[in-house]
Amino acid sequence: MNVHLVDLNNKSDIKKFIQLPFDLYRNNSYWVPQMRSDTRSVMDRTSHPFYHHSDADFFIAEDNGRTLGRIAAISNNRFNKANHQDSAFFYFFESINDDTVSNSLFETVFNWSKNRGLTHIYGPKGFLQGDGIGLLVKGFDYIPAVGISYNFSYYDNLVKQAGFHKKFDYFSGYVDTTVGLTDKVKRVAEKVKQRSGFWVRKFETKEEILSIAPQLREVYNAAFSGSEGFSPITEVEIIIIAKRMLSLADPRLIKLVYKGDQIIGFLFSYPNINRGLQKTNGRLFPFGWYHIMRDFKNTRYMDANGIGILPEYQGLGPTAVIYTELEKTFREFNFDFVETVQTREDNVASLGESSHFVMDWVKTHRVYERDL
């Protein structure tokens, strides 16, 4: 067996890297493929904005022509500068259940990182804000939220075998839509809007949302600045993030909270179209688009995967407004299953606010770390 660097000018190497999870999860009813074009895009140094400021490489483990594992090593300079760290990330980790393979992949990433003067590594963590984070360690019998990773249960052991330990967990769970919010919470939301002048903007078209992408970038960066693991979104990156988000979105599910003409909070919800994505084999053409659009119309699942408030307005009531809008959304569109996606375990305020709903926290994604 050998681990080698993926030649990003070699189509065969790229194809092997992209194809591996399709082979590993071929008979798994929960795994959802990333679109092949999306993976190929992040491997393109000439066009992807991540490489304007940072670096990454990709590796595959092979034995006699068979691909056994893969991994990406990432050095995000903007993250390290913002957080005063010298950290690397690992991402795109996939492997057969063999710690010889996984240890070889991780050792390659460790050496890559140390050669760049990095002293710490954690992950799984991707290239852009909004990439799925963490390794699934609980909830293997549930369909993932869109864009959130699914993996085999043995991955946790492989990562630990490489010397990693838990950094923190993210929890995801389902809202009991038969109960919803109490009347008290709804009354508080209405009083907050009247007293503070908050109002909710709704959208009908994707173009409306794309036109305010620069403002959303400013709000997102401000809302999460100082949070552990955050790196600022650039002007170029927000366009890619927005287009990716909108490619799977119904604009009517996205709502912004304003005070005057200033955005102070946001709610990003999406129809969960993963059953359609499973049928695409990672390709839009010739028939992938049909399966996606069919599930887009028929799905009864909704993902709430983006709730944020500007720091100066936290604790002043806009969260009650956002949660009220969340309930209005799943009632209006008749979603039976509503998943709140990846709340970090130490975000006590957010977990407490989620308790306004009856929640069943069924999934856990774990981020690991180790020193180099």
Side-chain angles (χ1 to χ4, degrees):
M1 185 200 70
N2 71 89
V3 176
H4 72 85
L5 176 69
V6 172
D7 180 353
L8 298 183
N9 294 312
N10 184 314
K11 291 183 179 180
S12 176
D13 260 11
I14 293 173
K15 182 178 179 180
K16 290 176 183 177
F17 187 91
I18 293 173
Q19 180 61 35
L20 176 62
F22 289 87
D23 296 335
L24 286 175
Y25 297 95
R26 187 178 304 278
N27 298 315
N28 187 285
S29 60
Y30 298 103
W31 178 74
V32 179
Q34 183 176 36
M35 299 305 289
R36 296 171 191 260
S37 59
D38 289 344
T39 311
R40 196 173 292 111
S41 171
V42 84
M43 300 176 78
D44 187 345
R45 296 182 185 276
T46 62
S47 64
H48 198 281
F50 176 83
Y51 300 101
H52 296 172
H53 56 77
S54 297
D55 194 20
D57 273 315
F58 306 82
F59 303 91
I60 52 178
E62 290 187 292
D63 185 34
N64 293 322
R66 180 188 172 204
T67 306
L68 306 177
R70 74 175 196 182
I71 200 167
I74 301 172
S75 174
N76 188 326
N77 295 329
R78 288 177 64 84
F79 167 87
N80 281 327
K81 183 177 180 179
N83 292 275
H84 309 290
Q85 294 187 22
D86 294 306
S87 295
F89 306 151
F90 73 88
Y91 197 54
F92 284 139
F93 171 65
E94 303 284 358
S95 176
I96 63 171
N97 191 7
D98 185 334
D99 59 11
T100 303
V101 174
S102 56
N103 285 340
S104 296
L105 287 166
F106 280 116
E107 193 62 37
T108 301
V109 172
F110 299 158
N111 291 333
W112 182 95
S113 304
K114 288 186 281 191
N115 287 339
R116 285 159 175 77
L118 304 174
T119 60
H120 176 260
I121 182 168
Y122 76 91
K125 182 171 172 59
F127 293 79
L128 299 177
Q129 294 297 128
D131 286 346
I133 189 170
L135 202 72
L136 185 67
V137 296
K138 174 189 172 185
F140 297 97
D141 296 329
Y142 296 89
I143 192 76
V146 173
I148 304 300
S149 65
Y150 181 91
N151 53 262
F152 293 117
S153 60
Y154 65 77
Y155 278 37
D156 175 57
N157 183 59
L158 294 183
V159 174
K160 290 176 180 175
Q161 288 288 329
F164 287 91
H165 59 271
K166 172 187 165 181
K167 183 175 178 66
F168 43 70
D169 285 344
Y170 285 89
F171 302 138
S172 302
Y174 289 107
V175 174
D176 187 338
T177 57
T178 65
V179 177
L181 293 172
T182 64
D183 290 338
K184 179 180 178 180
V185 174
K186 296 174 185 177
R187 287 196 302 269
V188 168
E190 288 304 314
K191 288 180 180 179
V192 165
K193 286 195 287 186
Q194 294 171 14
R195 183 180 68 246
S196 302
F198 299 149
W199 60 281
V200 177
R201 181 177 178 182
K202 303 176 183 179
F203 299 88
E204 293 295 329
T205 68
K206 297 180 179 182
E207 289 73 23
E208 289 179 84
I209 301 172
L210 195 58
S211 69
I212 61 169
Q215 294 172 259
L216 290 175
R217 167 182 168 266
E218 293 177 6
V219 174
Y220 190 94
N221 284 343
F224 294 105
S225 178
S227 300
E228 205 285 331
F230 173 74
S231 57
I233 300 173
T234 68
E235 293 180 6
V236 179
E237 287 172 345
I238 190 60
I239 299 302
I240 285 186
I241 293 170
K243 287 182 177 178
R244 181 176 64 185
M245 175 183 77
L246 292 173
S247 69
L248 303 174
D250 182 334
R252 297 172 299 172
L253 306 187
I254 294 174
K255 299 179 180 181
L256 303 179
V257 179
Y258 281 76
K259 183 175 176 61
D261 59 359
Q262 179 190 13
I263 302 171
I264 65 167
F266 51 83
L267 167 65
F268 298 150
S269 299
Y270 311 91
N272 186 312
I273 56 170
N274 273 339
R275 288 304 186 194
L277 288 170
Q278 285 179 323
K279 299 174 183 178
T280 67
N281 196 32
R283 297 185 175 94
L284 278 178
F285 301 101
F287 302 115
W289 62 271
Y290 168 78
H291 296 297
I292 291 172
M293 294 308 298
R294 184 177 182 182
D295 201 32
F296 191 88
K297 294 178 180 178
N298 296 328
T299 183
R300 304 269 43 89
Y301 285 76
M302 186 183 94
D303 301 333
N305 190 9
I307 296 176
I309 304 289
L310 285 180
E312 59 266 37
Y313 290 95
Q314 292 174 4
L316 298 180
T319 306
V321 176
I322 284 179
Y323 276 92
T324 302
E325 289 299 323
L326 175 60
E327 180 176 10
K328 288 179 182 177
T329 299
F330 68 70
R331 298 285 188 222
E332 179 182 354
F333 293 93
N334 297 315
F335 288 108
D336 297 321
F337 302 92
V338 178
E339 181 175 347
T340 62
V341 181
Q342 292 202 327
T343 300
R344 213 171 83 177
E345 63 179 332
D346 59 352
N347 192 344
V348 177
S350 184
L351 288 171
E353 288 156 358
S354 297
S355 67
H356 291 318
F357 291 108
V358 176
M359 294 289 303
D360 186 9
W361 299 99
V362 296
K363 303 176 190 174
T364 302
H365 283 81
R366 180 160 297 163
V367 173
Y368 303 81
E369 67 178 345
R370 62 159 284 174
D371 294 327
L372 297 174

